[in-house]
Amino acid sequence: MSFLALLARNRLALAGLVVMALVVALALVTPLLPLADPDVTDTGNRFLPPFSEGALLGTDHLGRDLLSRLLWGTRLSLAVGFAAAVIAAVLGAAVGIVAGYYGGRVDNLIMRGVDMLMAFPYILLALAIVAALGPGLLNALIAVAAVNIPFFARNIRGITVGIAHKEFVDAAKLAGMGDGRIILSEVLPNVIPVIVIAMSTTVGWMILETAGLSFLGLGSQPPQADLGSMLGEARSALITNPHTSVVPGMMILVIVMAINLLGDGVRDALDPRLRSGALSRPMAATMVRREGPVPQPEGEALLALRELRTEFHVKQRVYRALGGVSLGVRPGECLGIIGESGSGKSVTALSVMGLVASPPGVIAGGAVHYRGEDLVGATYERLRSLRGREIAYIFQDPLATLHPLYTVGDQLAEAIRVHRGVSRGEARSRTLALLRDVRIPNAESRLDSYPHEMSGGMRQRVGIAMALANDPQVIIADEPTTALDVTVQAQILSLLDTLRREKGLAIVFITHDFGVVAQLCDRVAVMYAGRIVEEGPTQAVLETPAHPYTRRLIACVPELGEGKRVLHAIPGLPPAVDALPPGCAFAPRCDKAAEACREGDVALHGGARKVRCLFPETAPETDPETAAEAAQ
Amino acid sequence: MGSYILKRLVSAIPVLLGITVIVFAIMALIPGDPATAILGSYATPENVEKLNRDLGLDKPAVQRYAIWLWNMVQGDFGRSFSLNRPVLDEVLDRFGATLVLAGTSFVLCSVVGVAAGVVSAARQYGAADRGITFAVLLGISIPSFFLGMMMILLFAVRLRWFPASGMWPIYGDRHLWVLLRHLTMPALALAVVATGVVARLARSAMLEVLRQDYIRTARAKGVPERGVIWRHALRAAMVSIIPVLGIQAGFVLSGAVYIEMVFQWPGVGRMLVDAILKRDILLVQGGVVFVAACYVLFNIVVDVAQSLLDPRIKT
Ligand code: SF4
């Protein structure tokens, strides 16, 4: 969408633009209007109230027509404000470009100076300049412009530094172009948009500042008046004749507000993060908007997902991240979920406890049953009381997932205290026990460490300890070892395996690594494009993969349990989940794809081993014909 | 921690020197003979000669600067001709009043601004958020001096809740309650703009933090939403809010000049404006250097606060 269209969509910014255009237009035509002379005094008609005969807004303490003075004053204020903005921008940009372009000592020296200037509260600098030059509108203008030069210099320097190292600048230098010409022809054109934007956001500020200096009596001198000095002169009659103050004051307010609205609109339109709506705050639990019947609990699984559908609603588009996922895990069992990034495995994990960021996430259908209770339909308070207490998470990168500003001990103790009313001392001793459980050496001294002071492996042990804090029944581990190196990875995996056996935990283990699955999981489910394409006992799936996708995944793994195993060698990319092909989602990348594959939805079929394919590699319990039937 | 504070203090020395150089350079802009300009209407030939001798005004610039700096280091900021007393005495007298006003406003804008920003972010796009966003827009658009005048009209003249001006009544006791009554309006008027800026920043800082992985961890632990917002998110957001509070302190100090004029508050700002109008150059010069130096020191306090909040900063 174009910048202007975006701006226009922002109604407030548009209002600001319209108001500003009106004010500027009014200021431009002021000399042409049939107004009284703004400086002609008429002491017989002092302080006429607004709507008086011949004086629409009344008169001031010298009987001068307020409307006329207001318009002339606005004209002057705008002119001075804009002039200050232009001067500050031009000089600031010049300083910034020189500093950024030449770099090194020049840059250092200039930026030191700029920092010094910024060390002043801005008005002190302005006052000092006015004190030296003497009060007067021109001097106030110089002061305001000078005070704002550092701001422009710093901004423009940043941009210039980026440009000065681009190839086209190097090329121009090699071609023997002089610095001056390079700056004019290569640097300046790239910097000008930034200058204009910086100006548009500061011009309101400059108008306000010059008005302020005039208000203090240091700017425009009588009889000439800008809005600030009108307000300053009216101050002595504030109580007896407030309208003389209100008129110029309101005008300043309107102008500054219009410019601020416009500036906000410009900023929003240029900020790409706001454009995509990514700056929305995730809510406490994923939004639920279930359509269709809610599946009933069945089977003896501790945690069971039934036809779970999670979507991302971004603007008008709907990304179907999960297209009906059904899974179950029994006490003491470890279920692996494997897939490429974007296959929906993490979304599956996060959907269980309503942790998918929302907006944009929405759970659109299906159910999550924990001991027969539907978590998708649960209240937030119920969900919260289960989070961490019955079902706990271990996340991928513990440096990002642990709070950087609290000690490890505090974060662990909190995990306990949010669910159980224990004393500080009890929480601490329990915390210590947890750290020992996850085999952290010198647990005592680690309690007061911050996450950034620990190694990656230690941090992840803390993450695991946090998940264990309340003796949960289920642990959902979302790629917990991906960020770690291989030896640490092996340690963490064996720790998880021991804990599972000791405590009878059910683990759902999300990974993209078949080696990890082989080491830890009893069963494995393979995900592709938001659906499960194959599921079965780990051994069986690894040895005789039924789905062409699984086979290819396994073929990509060089040697189980060794080296960095990444799933990248399959030609083609997984389909975008907002544009799934009809029929089998893997068809575009499948070498066995046939007409039938692209026609109808392919169902997941089978018993202990399930596969979603019309022509499976090995037909575990069904032959292709029944599979084809199942598809219809 | 002690060594960190010391390190920051030492690093402030070049900045303080820079400030004096800049002020000195600006004062060199004074057209004509400096002694005559400083003395203004007191510029009798004897006075001019005496001043030239005292301040070395007839010497080259570098020497003049050295004399001036050395005098200041010894606590001699020169003499105000319009008030006929040492500049430093006058500045110190006035600075207390400014500190009371600006300090109160600073606390107000920090507390109210951050709270408003947090609530706004927590209720993004809700009624509270919209209300706060609009109030913020109004707040940052209204000139503080105009707001102050309107407050006088409403709260002092019409409702008679607060006195219209001054820091103390001309007659009567000077106790805290009286001060608070005088302080309320100017402190509020001064705080409004900064509160708006802080609220805006706090909102976006919170929105940024709330998307972080560790917030999801807190939720996964079962931390109630209130704790997620105020304990987890705000703590992290403060890391980016505190430096802006330091900058806002400068704006509050600047705005105090206007507010002191409107409310006849006996602070440094009004002193400076009066001094400029009376062309009392030495008073302006001394006042500017003094206040700027205080602001630099205040920013060290901000840095220290930041390092206490964020263990990742090496102290
Ligand atoms: S259904 Fe067809 S396209 Fe899909 S994986 Fe099986 S063979 Fe390949």
Side-chain angles (χ1 to χ4, degrees):
Chain A
M1 204 181 304
S2 84
F3 168 73
L4 279 177
L6 267 168
L7 195 61
R9 265 183 16 157
N10 184 336
R11 263 174 297 156
L12 284 174
L14 200 61
L17 186 67
V18 170
V19 171
M20 209 46 223
L22 267 177
V23 172
V24 170
L26 216 54
L28 287 177
V29 301
T30 298
L32 307 174
L33 297 177
L35 293 165
D37 187 319
D39 297 334
V40 167
T41 58
D42 176 7
T43 37
N45 283 320
R46 299 170 68 218
F47 291 130
L48 286 184
F51 306 115
S52 301
E53 182 70 38
L56 194 55
L57 293 178
T59 57
D60 71 357
H61 60 293
L62 295 174
R64 296 174 293 197
D65 182 45
L66 263 183
L67 177 64
S68 168
R69 284 181 73 72
L70 178 73
L71 291 181
W72 283 99
T74 305
R75 193 175 148 87
L76 193 58
S77 277
L78 288 182
V80 173
F82 278 117
V86 170
I87 295 173
V90 169
L91 294 181
V95 172
I97 288 175
V98 168
Y101 181 79
Y102 289 102
R105 292 257 294 281
V106 180
D107 184 26
N108 219 325
L109 202 69
I110 292 181
M111 290 327 284
R112 279 282 164 81
V114 165
D115 286 345
M116 300 284 176
L117 285 172
M118 288 185 126
F120 282 89
Y122 75 89
I123 204 160
L124 287 182
L125 215 49
L127 287 181
I129 294 172
V130 173
L133 300 177
L137 191 55
L138 187 63
N139 294 343
L141 191 162
I142 293 173
V144 169
V147 167
N148 283 290
I149 287 176
F151 165 78
F152 282 96
R154 189 178 271 188
N155 273 351
I156 303 301
R157 175 197 168 263
I159 311 282
T160 311
V161 167
I163 296 169
H165 298 290
K166 289 259 165 67
E167 303 86 48
F168 55 84
V169 173
D170 290 337
K173 272 185 195 159
L174 280 179
M177 241 201 243
D179 286 340
R181 269 190 61 201
I182 296 179
I183 288 177
L184 282 182
S185 64
E186 307 291 343
V187 180
L188 201 59
N190 289 299
V191 175
I192 279 181
V194 185
I195 301 178
V196 171
I197 291 159
M199 252 176 73
S200 74
T201 50
T202 48
V203 68
W205 183 234
M206 311 248 190
I207 292 175
L208 199 55
E209 279 173 273
T210 42
L213 288 178
S214 289
F215 172 81
L216 296 175
L218 306 176
S220 74
Q221 302 295 316
Q224 187 193 45
D226 68 355
L227 294 172
S229 58
M230 281 178 76
L231 198 56
E233 285 175 25
R235 197 159 63 86
S236 50
L238 172 65
I239 293 168
T240 50
N241 292 283
H243 73 276
T244 52
S245 303
V246 172
V247 165
M250 286 306 287
M251 193 59 163
I252 303 179
L253 173 61
V254 166
I255 292 174
V256 176
M257 188 137 151
I259 293 179
N260 279 339
L261 282 173
L262 197 56
D264 290 354
V266 169
R267 204 194 47 207
D268 289 358
L270 291 175
D271 193 332
R273 283 182 314 174
L274 288 170
R275 249 189 250 188
S276 66
L279 256 188
S280 284
R281 107 188 192 72
M283 298 192 302
T286 310
M287 219 185 303
V288 175
R289 239 184 276 144
R290 272 196 291 200
E291 291 149 15
V294 176
Q296 291 305 306
E298 55 181 74
E300 82 273 37
L302 179 61
L303 176 71
L305 280 57
R306 291 268 165 273
E307 284 306 310
L308 192 63
R309 284 188 289 120
T310 301
E311 301 173 345
F312 292 107
H313 293 205
V314 181
K315 297 265 163 71
Q316 260 49 271
R317 302 174 76 162
V318 175
Y319 299 82
R320 291 179 220 290
L322 298 187
V325 170
S326 300
L327 281 172
V329 60
R330 285 185 298 277
E333 185 187 35
C334 179
L335 168 73
I337 302 179
I338 191 165
E340 293 166 287
S341 57
S343 61
K345 54 194 196 308
S346 281
V347 178
T348 308
L350 295 173
S351 295
V352 172
M353 276 295 170
L355 290 172
V356 177
S358 170
V362 175
I363 295 182
V368 174
H369 294 123
Y370 175 70
R371 295 182 187 280
E373 178 185 356
D374 177 23
L375 299 183
V376 174
T379 61
Y380 164 69
E381 196 37 51
R382 176 69 187 145
L383 201 58
R384 186 193 72 72
S385 78
L386 292 175
R387 282 177 180 176
R389 189 166 59 91
E390 299 282 321
I391 300 177
Y393 280 86
I394 303 169
F395 294 108
Q396 179 174 344
D397 173 12
L399 187 58
T401 54
L402 292 176
H403 199 294
L405 306 181
Y406 286 104
T407 61
V408 161
D410 281 352
Q411 298 191 50
L412 285 168
E414 184 191 33
I416 301 166
R417 287 161 65 96
V418 290
H419 292 298
R420 277 182 279 165
V422 296
S423 72
R424 243 164 229 290
E426 259 175 85
R428 194 174 166 94
S429 59
R430 174 94 182 97
T431 303
L432 212 54
L434 281 171
L435 288 185
R436 295 214 176 95
D437 278 356
V438 294
R439 324 289 192 260
I440 289 188
N442 306 326
E444 186 91 38
S445 67
R446 281 306 190 181
L447 279 184
D448 297 317
S449 300
Y450 289 94
H452 72 275
E453 295 167 340
M454 306 180 115
S455 69
M458 284 300 146
R459 275 197 290 266
Q460 193 54 292
R461 282 169 198 265
V462 172
I464 296 172
M466 200 139 84
L468 294 173
N470 295 292
D471 288 320
Q473 301 299 309
V474 182
I475 283 190
I476 299 175
D478 187 0
E479 307 217 33
T481 57
T482 307
L484 306 174
D485 68 55
V486 185
T487 25
V488 184
Q489 196 171 357
Q491 290 168 2
I492 295 284
L493 288 179
S494 83
L495 172 67
L496 275 174
D497 202 38
T498 327
L499 290 170
R500 162 164 84 109
R501 288 179 209 293
E502 279 172 9
K503 300 181 191 266
L505 285 168
I507 297 184
V508 179
F509 198 97
I510 318 288
T511 181
H512 59 243
D513 187 336
F514 263 114
V516 172
V517 168
Q519 212 172 323
L520 195 66
C521 300
D522 307 310
R523 277 189 308 128
V524 60
V526 183
M527 280 192 83
Y528 188 78
R531 305 179 104 180
I532 290 171
V533 293
E534 176 161 11
E535 189 193 329
T538 308
Q539 198 67 21
V541 172
L542 283 179
E543 276 164 14
T544 53
H547 198 280
Y549 175 63
T550 318
R551 177 180 57 82
R552 298 265 287 275
L553 272 187
I554 294 172
C556 293
V557 179
E559 186 90 348
L560 283 194
E562 256 179 44
K564 256 212 166 314
R565 296 159 300 234
V566 267
L567 305 177
H568 51 67
I570 304 181
L573 288 168
V577 279
D578 66 326
L580 287 181
C584 175
F586 189 58
R589 297 163 81 186
C590 181
D591 44 18
K592 293 165 74 179
E595 261 324 290
C597 303
R598 301 182 213 273
E599 273 160 9
D601 202 31
V602 183
L604 188 66
H605 55 89
R609 282 205 68 180
K610 299 189 182 75
V611 60
R612 191 190 294 276
C613 178
L614 297 180
F615 311 105
E617 307 281 327
T618 50
E621 284 135 40
T622 47
D623 55 353
E625 264 169 55
T626 42
E629 270 166 37
Q632 283 133 37
Chain B
M1 184 46 62
S3 69
Y4 177 70
I5 296 176
L6 200 69
K7 216 164 65 193
R8 291 297 292 112
L9 279 174
V10 170
S11 73
I13 292 174
V15 182
L16 291 173
L17 280 177
I19 282 173
T20 58
V21 170
I22 289 168
V23 172
F24 185 80
I26 291 174
M27 289 308 158
L29 294 175
I30 299 174
D33 172 47
T36 322
I38 289 173
L39 288 167
S41 51
Y42 302 89
T44 59
E46 306 90 75
N47 278 347
V48 169
E49 196 194 325
K50 182 173 177 299
L51 198 67
N52 272 336
R53 203 173 52 237
D54 288 356
L55 302 181
L57 290 177
D58 44 2
K59 305 226 169 64
V62 177
Q63 215 170 337
R64 235 158 59 209
Y65 170 73
I67 294 174
W68 179 58
L69 187 65
W70 182 238
N71 284 345
M72 276 197 302
V73 170
Q74 292 171 312
D76 175 11
F77 280 58
R79 210 176 165 75
S80 156
F81 284 88
S82 65
L83 301 167
N84 196 24
R85 67 182 298 207
V87 165
L88 190 60
D89 292 3
E90 175 70 8
V91 172
L92 286 175
D93 278 359
R94 298 294 203 109
F95 192 63
T98 297
L99 216 53
V100 169
L101 173 64
T104 312
S105 286
F106 179 69
V107 172
L108 266 177
C109 85
S110 308
V111 174
V112 178
V114 169
V118 171
V119 170
S120 205
R123 306 241 177 286
Q124 193 186 16
Y125 303 136
D129 183 28
R130 281 170 205 280
I132 289 172
T133 306
F134 181 72
V136 162
L137 178 70
L138 203 63
I140 59 173
S141 301
I142 194 163
S144 60
F145 41 92
F146 180 53
L147 177 65
M149 287 164 74
M150 293 301 107
M151 285 173 85
I152 291 177
L153 271 185
L154 181 60
F155 297 114
V157 177
R158 183 141 308 183
L159 298 172
R160 301 188 170 280
W161 287 355
F162 301 105
S165 68
M167 184 170 175
W168 301 107
I170 300 168
Y171 306 107
D173 292 338
R174 296 190 161 195
H175 47 73
L176 185 65
W177 174 242
V178 175
L179 175 63
L180 285 181
R181 267 175 54 86
H182 281 80
L183 179 62
T184 307
M185 281 206 298
L188 281 177
L190 179 53
V192 162
V193 179
T195 307
V197 176
V198 172
R200 223 172 219 213
L201 178 95
R203 179 179 185 269
S204 63
M206 284 291 287
L207 288 179
E208 190 71 44
V209 166
L210 279 167
R211 294 160 52 226
Q212 299 299 316
D213 286 350
Y214 50 83
I215 297 300
R216 190 184 59 198
T217 308
R219 289 191 170 130
K221 285 201 287 191
V223 177
E225 195 57 12
R226 187 180 291 258
V228 170
I229 301 281
W230 292 97
R231 202 161 57 237
H232 287 259
L234 178 56
R235 174 85 184 250
M238 281 313 281
V239 170
S240 46
I241 294 173
I242 282 188
V244 172
L245 289 183
I247 296 171
Q248 283 312 303
F251 280 87
V252 168
L253 218 46
S254 295
V257 175
Y258 302 119
I259 295 299
E260 286 176 7
M261 290 301 280
V262 172
F263 290 92
Q264 304 288 308
W265 193 265
V268 173
R270 230 177 95 207
M271 178 202 84
L272 285 175
V273 175
D274 287 346
I276 294 174
L277 293 173
K278 287 185 195 145
R279 314 284 306 135
D280 190 340
I281 302 294
L282 288 182
L283 188 55
V284 176
Q285 188 175 286
V288 167
V289 169
F290 183 85
V291 178
C294 290
Y295 177 61
V296 169
L297 295 181
F298 177 78
N299 269 309
I300 294 180
V301 176
V302 172
D303 285 352
V304 171
Q306 181 81 332
S307 76
L308 287 177
L309 179 84
D310 189 346
R312 290 166 300 183
I313 293 178
K314 290 226 164 36
T315 58

